[in-house]
Amino acid sequence: MISNQILQTTIEGLKGITRIDLCVCDTEGKVLATTFPDAEEYEGSILIFVDSPADSQVIQGYQFFKVFDEHQLEYILLAKGGSDDAYMVGKLAAFQIQNLLVAYKERFDKDNFIKNLLLDNLLLVDIYNRAKKLHIETSVKRVVYIIETKHEKDTNALETVRSLFASKTKDFITAVDEKNIILVKEVKPGETYDDLEKTANMVLDMLNTEAMTKVHVAFGTVVGEIKEVSRSYKEAKMALDVGKIFYSDKNVIAYNKLGIGRLIYQLPLPLCRMFIKEIFDGKSPDEFDDETLTTINKFFENSLNVSETSRQLYIHRNTLVYRLDKLQKSTGLDLRIFEDAITFKIALMVVKYMKYMENSDF
């Protein structure tokens, strides 16, 4: 369960302090980590020691120790030298590795629990029973963040996020697929959605600078019970998808700020096609030329203000009025009238949604 790299780092650290060489092998005599060469020569001795009833023994000038994981023999540890000092260092090293096994198992169990919780794979009674067993508080406010990386299995990004929240024992970092890192974060009393957005931006900036990777961050709403964590996760997933469709210029998106895009995202495609056909008589809004689309978007940005829009487009007011009149003749919608503007804005968003869904894999 513990990686060889962790074992190597552990025994190198111990050797740096004690100046005694150490080696960790599996129960078949294969060397997993060592601070001295030719450790493979002791494979035969290790196999004999595995079958012996002793927990420690001096063989060929080395102290041999057994490391157990809940009564199951997991590793054989060698400490160079037959002295009392070598014995003491070997015992300390074995104790350290045994504690690492416990810690990693607990982390694995918690990771498993959080994954199943997010994916709704647990019965209600199991959620509370397992949470109690793993010492996870059930009535704490939490929110789920999804961090989508550009590349699959981005271990640098995952480790960066872990290091960022390593001191927060009530936060959980996991992954349920190849591209998404999930952060289940405790929400402290007084924390607002603005604070949650600041956290998302902090993660974004850190990954851009430390892991050198471009990411999108989405988060759901705050939930007060552990059983509701999966809801916040589903909301974050929706925010990620809706953000790609309607807010592609944003790298951080919150579920509670999706607005009308959230409603459109849940519409069936046949209904969307019917709506576009009824409004534009078969013509799609994205068929307009760039000049017309730029005019429309700028008009919406300026809250249907003709003077401000013409100023920002560097055109005469009458030129803008002419363009709006031309658009009204072709679509039957006058963007200067609020109701028509709303209809047109929704239609543009529906077309974006239709294009996204038709080009996506699902």
Side-chain angles (χ1 to χ4, degrees), residues 215-361:
V215 298
H216 289 94
V217 183
F219 59 96
T221 55
V222 175
V223 295
E225 280 287 330
I226 197 162
K227 65 181 179 180
E228 297 172 327
V229 165
S230 63
R231 192 188 80 210
S232 187
Y233 170 64
K234 287 169 189 169
E235 291 169 350
K237 272 186 78 176
M238 182 186 281
L240 198 63
D241 285 340
V242 174
K244 288 176 188 173
I245 303 169
F246 304 118
Y247 313 102
S248 54
D249 56 324
K250 291 184 179 179
N251 290 320
V252 171
I253 190 77
Y255 176 81
N256 66 340
K257 290 187 178 178
L258 293 178
I260 200 167
R262 192 169 83 206
L263 296 176
I264 293 170
Y265 181 75
Q266 296 178 79
L267 293 174
L269 283 176
L271 189 64
C272 293
R273 293 190 189 101
M274 192 187 301
F275 173 73
I276 295 300
K277 187 176 180 183
E278 286 174 1
I279 298 297
F280 296 108
D281 195 25
K283 187 179 181 183
S284 176
D286 61 346
E287 290 175 12
F288 297 125
D289 58 69
D290 290 341
E291 184 184 79
T292 304
L293 284 172
T294 303
T295 302
I296 293 164
N297 290 327
K298 191 59 73 175
F299 194 51
F300 286 142
E301 278 176 31
N302 289 294
S303 304
L304 315 185
N305 186 309
V306 174
S307 300
E308 185 60 25
T309 304
S310 58
R311 187 185 70 79
Q312 289 189 21
L313 288 172
Y314 303 104
I315 59 174
H316 195 275
R317 178 190 170 92
N318 290 345
T319 306
L320 178 58
V321 171
Y322 169 76
R323 289 181 187 176
L324 294 173
D325 287 340
K326 186 181 173 185
L327 188 65
Q328 183 185 1
K329 285 177 185 175
S330 65
T331 63
L333 296 170
D334 185 352
L335 299 195
R336 289 159 291 192
I337 298 171
F338 181 73
E339 191 174 329
D340 285 0
I342 286 289
T343 303
F344 201 98
K345 178 68 175 174
I346 291 171
L348 287 175
M349 293 179 76
V350 167
V351 169
K352 268 189 175 182
Y353 166 65
M354 285 165 60
K355 275 190 166 183
Y356 176 83
M357 293 304 288
E358 286 163 0
N359 295 332
S360 64
D361 296 327

Side-chain angles (χ1 to χ4, degrees), residues 27-94:
T27 53
E28 294 176 355
K30 182 184 173 186
V31 175
L32 304 177
T34 183
T35 62
F36 59 88
D38 305 322
E40 294 82 4
E41 294 176 7
Y42 297 92
E43 183 179 336
S45 300
I46 289 167
L47 294 175
I48 293 168
F49 178 61
V50 166
D51 293 329
S52 77
D55 286 343
S56 64
Q57 198 171 347
V58 180
I59 304 173
Q60 295 176 284
Y62 282 84
Q63 303 275 358
F64 281 53
F65 300 91
K66 289 178 180 176
V67 181
F68 293 91
D69 180 16
E70 291 185 356
H71 309 296
Q72 174 73 37
L73 183 59
E74 194 72 29
Y75 301 118
I76 302 299
L77 176 79
L78 280 66
K80 191 174 183 180
S83 66
D84 288 345
D85 285 346
Y87 175 80
M88 183 179 68
V89 171
K91 288 290 281 183
L92 284 170

Side-chain angles (χ1 to χ4, degrees), residues 1-227:
M1 192 184 295
I2 305 173
S3 70
N4 291 356
Q5 183 61 50
I6 296 292
L7 290 171
Q8 187 67 41
T9 304
T10 301
I11 62 172
E12 281 178 359
L14 287 167
K15 185 195 172 178
I17 298 166
T18 64
R19 298 183 184 177
I20 288 177
D21 279 304
L22 298 160
C23 174
V24 182
C25 303
D26 63 17
T27 53
E28 294 176 355
K30 182 184 173 186
V31 175
L32 304 177
T34 183
T35 62
F36 59 88
D38 305 322
E40 294 82 4
E41 294 176 7
Y42 297 92
E43 183 179 336
S45 300
I46 289 167
L47 294 175
I48 293 168
F49 178 61
V50 166
D51 293 329
S52 77
D55 286 343
S56 64
Q57 198 171 347
V58 180
I59 304 173
Q60 295 176 284
Y62 282 84
Q63 303 275 358
F64 281 53
F65 300 91
K66 289 178 180 176
V67 181
F68 293 91
D69 180 16
E70 291 185 356
H71 309 296
Q72 174 73 37
L73 183 59
E74 194 72 29
Y75 301 118
I76 302 299
L77 176 79
L78 280 66
K80 191 174 183 180
S83 66
D84 288 345
D85 285 346
Y87 175 80
M88 183 179 68
V89 171
K91 288 290 281 183
L92 284 170
F95 179 72
Q96 175 70 5
I97 292 169
Q98 205 151 341
N99 282 339
L100 281 173
L101 281 168
V102 173
Y104 269 71
K105 182 174 279 189
E106 185 176 308
R107 175 172 153 184
F108 176 75
D109 285 346
K110 282 187 177 179
D111 194 57
N112 240 347
F113 171 68
I114 295 297
K115 280 181 185 176
N116 285 311
L117 182 67
L118 293 169
L119 298 172
D120 267 339
N121 289 341
L122 296 169
L123 296 172
L124 189 60
V125 65
D126 290 336
I127 290 173
Y128 286 93
N129 285 342
R130 289 188 64 183
K132 185 178 179 182
K133 187 180 176 183
L134 294 167
H135 308 291
I136 297 172
E137 290 185 51
T138 55
S139 298
V140 170
K141 285 187 176 181
R142 294 181 173 95
V143 66
V144 176
Y145 290 84
I146 296 181
I147 301 143
E148 185 186 66
T149 57
K150 192 175 180 182
H151 306 291
E152 293 188 357
K153 293 184 179 178
D154 195 331
T155 50
N156 281 344
L158 183 59
E159 288 310 312
T160 301
V161 175
R162 280 201 169 125
S163 66
L164 206 56
F165 297 91
S167 60
K168 315 280 175 50
T169 54
K170 293 180 182 177
D171 296 340
F172 304 99
I173 294 104
T174 187
V176 294
D177 55 38
E178 302 294 340
K179 288 187 77 173
N180 293 333
I181 300 165
I182 314 297
L183 166 64
V184 182
K185 186 183 180 301
E186 179 191 9
V187 178
K188 294 174 184 174
E191 255 190 303
T192 64
Y193 279 101
D194 286 340
D195 295 323
L196 299 182
E197 191 159 340
K198 284 175 186 172
T199 299
N201 279 302
M202 178 185 70
V203 171
L204 183 79
D205 294 341
M206 185 67 78
L207 288 172
N208 283 343
T209 53
E210 297 286 331
M212 301 295 286
T213 184
K214 297 288 182 185
V215 298
H216 289 94
V217 183
F219 59 96
T221 55
V222 175
V223 295
E225 280 287 330
I226 197 162
K227 65 181 179 180

